[in-house]
Amino acid sequence: MSAAVSLPSASAPDSAPSAAERAARQAQVVQALSAHLPAHMLLWHAEDTTPYECDGLTAYRQRPLVVCLPETESQVQAVLRTCHALQVPVVARGAGTGLSGGAMPHALGVTLSLARFNRILSVDPVSRTARVQCGVRNLAISEAAAPWQLYYAPDPSSQIACTIGGNIAENSGGVHCLKYGLTVHNVLRVRGFTVEGEPVEFGSEALDTPGYDLLAAVIGSEGMLAVTTEATVRLIPKPQLARCIMASFDDVRKAGDAVAAVIAAGIIPAGLEMMDKPMTAAVEDFVKAGYDLTAEAILLCESDGTPEEVEEEIGRMSEVLRAAGATAITVSENEAERLRFWSGRKNAFPASGRISPDYMCLDSTIPRKRLADILLAIAEMEKKYRLRCCNVFHAGDGNLHPLVLFDANDPDELHRCELFGADILETSVAMGGTVSGEHGVGVEKLNSMCTQFTTEENAQMFALKAAFDPAGLLNPGKVIPTLNRCAEYGKMLVRGGQIAHPELPRF
Amino acid sequence: MSAAVSLPSASAPDSAPSAAERAARQAQVVQALSAHLPAHMLLWHAEDTTPYECDGLTAYRQRPLVVCLPETESQVQAVLRTCHALQVPVVARGAGTGLSGGAMPHALGVTLSLARFNRILSVDPVSRTARVQCGVRNLAISEAAAPWQLYYAPDPSSQIACTIGGNIAENSGGVHCLKYGLTVHNVLRVRGFTVEGEPVEFGSEALDTPGYDLLAAVIGSEGMLAVTTEATVRLIPKPQLARCIMASFDDVRKAGDAVAAVIAAGIIPAGLEMMDKPMTAAVEDFVKAGYDLTAEAILLCESDGTPEEVEEEIGRMSEVLRAAGATAITVSENEAERLRFWSGRKNAFPASGRISPDYMCLDSTIPRKRLADILLAIAEMEKKYRLRCCNVFHAGDGNLHPLVLFDANDPDELHRCELFGADILETSVAMGGTVSGEHGVGVEKLNSMCTQFTTEENAQMFALKAAFDPAGLLNPGKVIPTLNRCAEYGKMLVRGGQIAHPELPRF
């Protein structure tokens, strides 16, 4: 691995730095940071920085110039001040479980690992909040709140490992976000530092705060606006009961329409997931969840609340699903059975890993009513690109996770897989959706942002970033594509037709 | 009224424009706008523009250069494009009920009245949303949703007249926002135009939207970032039942502590209001609400929900209030009695108007536990400034509305009243609160922003505004004070001690 690995970064140097240039810069940065951090918090030898070369998006790798592992806020402040003075890019990193390369290092930058900020500062059962450091794991919050029958709702699949700081950066979702919202709906306050090392707070534990309300803008900003060190999150009471319906359909269109019908009936299930036949086949072989292997698609549809609420909602949902053409309906009779239903869904990714050397997970969204259309479009793409695709969707909120199966060691398959992925994203946008539901843009979807947004919209997002980080030192080269990059991408693409832009620009 | 009235505007010209300069500019703007608007949508004669010279903050008045009354989005776009091309300031205006001068005209600017955007576009009882034009009155939304037993929750006192566009600009609250949130918690999507006349959307009807999440930043931005023309709002089911407790206290400290005790017990009342003895005396004389005139302070504490929930919550709240030292507790036995309890609170402002030629309403916030402290501090200020003050507080969320009574025709009283108001705001900030809870900053609290925020914080807010409006044409001179203005304000003030800044900068 060398610095010559080309960064998919908009603001990366035109040519990669030479080894000598990199070494000189490294010595300068290490020396400056040594004044503030003890030796064990500072890594720069290749064998020490290599573990940080990528996050959950392993296709792109880059050793950072330096890794810092601060333990206190004043050390974070010192790192930021030092980097700002030297104009060194800073990439913040939590657990490194992100799927879009948001924590991928910069060749000439510092990776600021916040893993040691792992303390739960307080749990307040009366106000139903927890104050936690940014490196606390998502699931650890719920564990700490469990004695009061409370929990933190957003549940990304990586919740056993991913940190709340990373969740804030990516505005993470999860199976239950249809009912309980994304990170942005469950975080009250974010504390951290600006690129200059100034302490800053967004939001508050009160209903409102003075000044512009930038909490929502910072959540999901992928480390581009500020560095988070602490957060106050909302806790909610554990539902008394949860039950899950497994419904089979002999036709993907009927299954897609059933999802739209459930929501149109005014029901917000606690979770509403869809898997197609190739996906259930792969999963069933792995975890024996008891899925109907004859179905073209199955839905998992959960209700939670008091026993009375669950009984009523399960009844109404079953009715809607039956009317929509479900060929079989099974309702979990106990917690063990409910967990078994979910075990399949939660193991969809590893199950795909068992049947293919590699897979690429997409994350686009579409309006619910287009679920069947996108499934049929993906089926056509399988023929066009000669690759298989398993589909597992957060169907209730229209968030797709198609898993394109390929072999990364076959350059032609890799290329076809990339085209397949881009096609899914562009088709999603054309159907009125977006390129990312919950995994973030990072480096992965930078090109697709050219499809999603106009030049003016991307310029506007740069202007907003510049209000926080004029020199562009925080996580540069990610999330927002430059005009040049979009022009290049347009040239690269061989497009069948027009790209459908949303009617209105949106920030 | 002439253009020589000094604007309390940070970016107002150093010297007021001469009558000739103003007339020339007016002719130029009118001519340019005439190309896009029919004659009846364009006002510039003094007798036509004078009705627009102020909003609900009548102390500051300024005739606008021109008033536009567009009826379509393309006309709004044309007005903005024209003004942008000529670099003319634009002040958007709804019903003009704002209390902080947010819609006060600019001497050389266009007032963009959106009063004619008064159509309810759709009510969707299944998704529980309404799509409305910006000029729709707050109460009209609830009226349109009433057939489905739904309503729009935020209820500013002006709700019969104020518009949703104005509510969005000010992030309006109301008596029930303690439980149901402010405007920012009840609006899903805002559609409008940038200063350049480009269409723009913030938020969406889905859980999330691509790009930076700027919906919350735009809500409460007081017309400084964009012009709103349409919104999608959340509707919620009308509670089956509401009952209200009236509790008397023989000591303001006990009443203040009782408010903190209710919240600390984990109860979020539908409303939790506090009035002191001078206020209840003024009110009772006016509307005969049945208030306890022997009490030093009374609390109104409401519960709503199903009959079972209300019964349980009223029981728990009564217990907490009794333990906190309430000398009498009355619970409304029917809807008529409940409305009678509230009639006093809702008529607090006009009741003050009956006992004093003028009154100034403050709007600061404090942490709930400091309620008694601020009441005692205000009592001291009454002696210091030799003016009376009636106190009516949204106590549950720590939002104060002290009403300082004075005679505007007595310049010394006016001056003392201004000092009294500034003292309340600064004392609130020193106690850990803010200068504005729900009325906005506008022109009224521009100086107090120098107390609330540091120079760097105000500069940061300007940077954010510049990302949307680089030339500063949208509602200039309001909300964010310039460095010069704060320096001037510091010189003007005779201060007893240090100004307590919050520990951390906040946006």
Side-chain angles (χ1 to χ4, degrees):
Chain A
M1 184 62 49
S2 88
V5 168
S6 77
L7 274 174
S9 154
S11 62
D14 283 344
S15 55
S18 73
E21 283 164 350
R22 193 171 188 268
R25 184 65 160 164
Q26 191 176 55
Q28 180 194 29
V29 172
V30 168
Q31 193 192 9
L33 289 171
S34 297
H36 306 287
L37 295 182
H40 70 279
M41 294 184 193
L42 212 45
L43 312 176
W44 70 92
H45 296 302
E47 63 271 28
D48 295 327
T49 59
T50 300
Y52 295 88
E53 67 181 0
C54 66
D55 59 13
L57 181 75
T58 54
Y60 301 97
R61 289 165 193 258
Q62 170 60 56
R63 271 207 336 265
L65 197 67
V66 174
V67 175
C68 295
L69 293 153
E71 293 179 1
T72 67
E73 288 201 337
S74 58
Q75 288 168 342
V76 171
Q77 183 170 46
V79 170
L80 286 164
R81 282 187 180 156
T82 304
C83 289
H84 188 251
L86 296 173
Q87 296 283 291
V88 176
V90 175
V91 178
R93 179 187 172 101
T97 55
L99 293 170
S100 58
M104 198 193 71
H106 190 283
L108 292 175
V110 164
T111 285
L112 180 61
S113 168
L114 295 153
R116 293 180 181 172
F117 282 74
N118 59 357
R119 278 180 302 138
I120 291 173
L121 302 170
S122 63
V123 174
D124 183 343
V126 172
S127 69
R128 292 182 180 164
T129 57
R131 207 157 56 80
V132 299
Q133 288 191 312
C134 61
V136 168
R137 292 175 305 110
N138 174 297
L139 196 59
I141 303 175
S142 292
E143 287 164 358
W148 295 278
Q149 301 299 312
L150 298 171
Y151 76 111
Y152 175 67
D155 57 345
S157 298
S158 56
Q159 69 181 139
I160 196 170
C162 65
T163 66
I164 188 69
N167 290 179
I168 287 167
E170 303 296 325
N171 190 19
S172 304
V175 165
H176 291 87
C177 71
L178 173 63
K179 181 166 178 180
Y180 296 108
L182 301 157
T183 304
V184 72
H185 306 107
N186 290 278
V187 168
L188 298 170
R189 184 187 68 107
V190 166
R191 170 179 157 127
F193 292 88
T194 67
V195 68
E196 294 94 353
E198 289 301 309
V200 64
E201 274 198 24
F202 303 94
S204 78
E205 283 157 28
L207 265 181
D208 197 17
T209 26
Y212 288 119
D213 182 348
L214 296 171
L215 179 65
V218 163
I219 295 174
S221 65
E222 305 193 21
M224 308 254 300
L225 305 184
V227 172
T228 299
T229 53
E230 188 187 303
T232 301
V233 304
R234 198 190 298 276
L235 303 173
I236 60 172
K238 277 189 199 166
Q240 291 176 33
L241 179 67
R243 292 182 75 192
C244 185
I245 299 174
M246 178 167 56
S248 307
F249 291 85
D250 57 10
D251 181 287
V252 293
R253 181 164 292 283
K254 284 185 197 162
D257 291 347
V259 170
V262 168
I263 304 292
I267 304 168
I268 305 287
L272 180 45
E273 300 284 314
M274 180 169 173
M275 279 175 273
D276 68 1
K277 196 173 194 172
M279 191 76 256
T280 52
V283 158
E284 195 59 22
D285 205 32
F286 182 33
V287 294
K288 315 279 183 273
Y291 292 163
D292 178 354
L293 296 178
T294 66
E296 287 301 314
I298 67 164
L299 297 183
L300 295 178
C301 193
E302 182 151 294
S303 173
D304 66 12
T306 63
E308 296 78 9
E309 284 170 330
V310 171
E311 188 185 3
E312 190 204 340
E313 199 168 74
I314 288 282
R316 289 178 61 209
M317 293 194 302
S318 303
E319 218 170 275
V320 173
L321 293 169
R322 239 176 247 117
T327 53
I329 284 184
T330 318
V331 183
S332 65
E333 288 301 330
N334 51 52
E335 189 61 6
E337 190 171 22
R338 186 182 77 89
L339 293 176
R340 187 164 57 79
F341 286 1
W342 283 110
S343 70
R345 167 63 187 86
K346 296 211 167 176
N347 284 293
F349 289 21
S352 305
R354 289 177 79 238
I355 60 168
S356 172
D358 297 278
Y359 63 86
M360 181 175 63
C361 172
L362 282 302
D363 172 45
S364 64
T365 73
I366 50 154
R368 270 182 293 269
K369 63 185 174 200
R370 304 302 298 271
L371 276 169
D373 294 334
I374 190 85
L375 270 171
L376 297 173
I378 290 173
E380 286 304 308
M381 293 177 206
E382 288 189 84
K383 294 176 206 155
K384 180 172 172 190
Y385 301 107
R386 290 175 286 121
L387 290 171
R388 285 183 300 158
C389 182
C390 298
N391 289 295
V392 50
F393 295 173
H394 298 307
D397 45 7
N399 185 193
L400 318 179
H401 290 328
L403 299 162
V404 181
L405 308 183
F406 72 106
D407 179 353
N409 288 323
D410 178 339
D412 185 58
E413 281 211 1
L414 174 58
H415 178 64
R416 280 184 278 128
C417 176
E418 286 175 341
L419 291 175
F420 196 151
D423 204 347
I424 291 175
L425 298 191
E426 297 196 3
T427 305
S428 299
V429 172
M431 286 183 178
T434 69
V435 298
S436 173
E438 57 179 5
H439 297 170
V441 175
V443 292
E444 186 202 27
K445 300 175 195 103
L446 204 46
N447 285 335
S448 302
M449 290 286 279
C450 307
T451 308
Q452 175 93 57
F453 293 105
T454 63
T455 307
E456 291 72 19
E457 287 166 336
N458 283 314
Q460 177 59 35
M461 287 194 271
F462 271 122
L464 186 90
K465 175 169 169 64
F468 289 81
D469 175 21
L473 294 175
L474 288 178
N475 222 3
K478 299 185 187 160
V479 187
I480 317 169
T482 59
L483 179 55
N484 275 347
R485 191 180 177 94
C486 287
E488 287 292 316
Y489 182 59
K491 272 184 260 164
M492 276 161 48
L493 274 182
V494 184
R495 281 173 174 148
Q498 284 292 97
I499 293 177
H501 268 299
E503 189 200 358
L504 285 176
R506 295 193 191 113
F507 285 112
Chain B
M1 184 64 46
S2 88
V5 168
S6 78
L7 274 174
S9 156
S11 63
D14 283 345
S15 54
S18 73
E21 284 164 350
R22 192 170 189 271
R25 184 64 160 164
Q26 191 176 56
Q28 180 194 30
V29 173
V30 168
Q31 193 192 7
L33 289 171
S34 298
H36 306 288
L37 296 182
H40 69 280
M41 293 185 196
L42 212 45
L43 313 175
W44 70 91
H45 297 300
E47 63 272 28
D48 295 327
T49 60
T50 299
Y52 296 87
E53 69 181 359
C54 65
D55 59 12
L57 181 74
T58 54
Y60 302 97
R61 288 162 195 260
Q62 170 61 56
R63 273 207 335 265
L65 197 68
V66 174
V67 175
C68 295
L69 293 153
E71 292 179 1
T72 67
E73 287 201 338
S74 58
Q75 287 167 342
V76 170
Q77 184 170 46
V79 170
L80 286 163
R81 282 186 179 158
T82 304
C83 289
H84 188 250
L86 297 173
Q87 295 284 290
V88 175
V90 175
V91 178
R93 179 185 171 102
T97 55
L99 293 169
S100 58
M104 199 193 70
H106 190 284
L108 291 174
V110 164
T111 284
L112 179 61
S113 169
L114 295 153
R116 292 179 182 174
F117 281 74
N118 59 358
R119 278 180 302 138
I120 291 173
L121 301 171
S122 63
V123 174
D124 182 342
V126 172
S127 70
R128 292 182 180 165
T129 57
R131 207 157 57 81
V132 299
Q133 288 190 314
C134 61
V136 167
R137 293 174 306 108
N138 173 296
L139 196 59
I141 302 174
S142 293
E143 287 164 358
W148 295 278
Q149 301 299 313
L150 297 170
Y151 76 112
Y152 176 67
D155 57 345
S157 297
S158 56
Q159 68 180 141
I160 197 169
C162 65
T163 65
I164 189 70
N167 291 178
I168 288 167
E170 304 297 324
N171 190 18
S172 303
V175 165
H176 291 87
C177 71
L178 173 62
K179 181 167 178 179
Y180 296 108
L182 301 156
T183 304
V184 72
H185 306 107
N186 290 277
V187 169
L188 298 172
R189 185 189 67 107
V190 166
R191 173 179 155 125
F193 291 89
T194 67
V195 67
E196 294 94 354
E198 289 302 308
V200 66
E201 275 197 24
F202 304 94
S204 79
E205 284 158 26
L207 264 181
D208 196 17
T209 27
Y212 288 120
D213 182 347
L214 297 170
L215 180 64
V218 164
I219 295 173
S221 65
E222 306 193 22
M224 309 253 300
L225 304 185
V227 172
T228 298
T229 53
E230 189 186 302
T232 301
V233 303
R234 198 190 298 275
L235 303 173
I236 61 172
K238 277 189 198 165
Q240 290 176 34
L241 179 67
R243 294 182 74 192
C244 185
I245 298 173
M246 176 167 56
S248 307
F249 290 85
D250 57 10
D251 181 286
V252 293
R253 181 164 292 281
K254 285 184 197 163
D257 292 347
V259 170
V262 168
I263 304 291
I267 304 168
I268 305 288
L272 179 45
E273 299 284 313
M274 181 170 173
M275 280 175 272
D276 69 359
K277 197 173 194 173
M279 191 75 253
T280 53
V283 158
E284 195 58 23
D285 204 33
F286 181 34
V287 293
K288 313 279 182 276
Y291 291 163
D292 178 355
L293 297 178
T294 65
E296 286 302 313
I298 67 163
L299 298 183
L300 294 177
C301 193
E302 183 151 291
S303 173
D304 66 13
T306 63
E308 295 78 10
E309 284 171 331
V310 171
E311 188 186 1
E312 190 205 338
E313 197 168 75
I314 288 283
R316 288 177 62 207
M317 293 195 301
S318 303
E319 218 169 275
V320 173
L321 293 169
R322 240 177 247 117
T327 53
I329 284 185
T330 318
V331 184
S332 65
E333 288 300 331
N334 52 52
E335 189 62 7
E337 190 173 19
R338 187 182 76 88
L339 294 176
R340 185 162 59 77
F341 285 1
W342 283 109
S343 70
R345 167 62 188 86
K346 297 213 166 174
N347 283 293
F349 288 21
S352 305
R354 288 178 79 237
I355 60 168
S356 171
D358 298 279
Y359 63 86
M360 180 175 63
C361 171
L362 282 302
D363 172 44
S364 63
T365 73
I366 51 155
R368 271 183 292 268
K369 62 186 175 200
R370 305 302 298 271
L371 276 169
D373 295 334
I374 191 86
L375 271 170
L376 297 173
I378 289 173
E380 286 304 306
M381 293 178 205
E382 287 189 85
K383 293 177 204 154
K384 180 173 173 189
Y385 301 107
R386 290 174 285 120
L387 290 170
R388 285 184 300 158
C389 182
C390 298
N391 289 295
V392 49
F393 294 174
H394 298 307
D397 45 7
N399 185 195
L400 318 179
H401 289 329
L403 298 162
V404 181
L405 309 183
F406 72 107
D407 179 354
N409 288 323
D410 178 339
D412 186 58
E413 280 210 2
L414 175 58
H415 179 63
R416 280 185 278 127
C417 175
E418 287 176 340
L419 292 177
F420 196 152
D423 205 348
I424 292 175
L425 297 191
E426 297 196 4
T427 305
S428 299
V429 172
M431 286 183 178
T434 70
V435 300
S436 173
E438 58 181 4
H439 297 170
V441 174
V443 294
E444 186 201 26
K445 300 176 197 103
L446 203 45
N447 286 336
S448 303
M449 290 286 279
C450 307
T451 308
Q452 175 94 55
F453 292 105
T454 62
T455 307
E456 291 73 20
E457 287 166 336
N458 283 313
Q460 177 58 36
M461 287 194 271
F462 271 122
L464 186 90
K465 174 169 169 63
F468 289 82
D469 176 20
L473 294 174
L474 288 178
N475 221 4
K478 299 183 187 161
V479 187
I480 316 170
T482 59
L483 180 55
N484 275 347
R485 189 178 178 95
C486 287
E488 287 291 317
Y489 182 59
K491 273 184 258 165
M492 277 162 46
L493 275 183
V494 183
R495 281 172 174 150
Q498 286 290 96
I499 293 176
H501 267 299
E503 187 200 359
L504 285 179
R506 298 196 189 108
F507 287 110

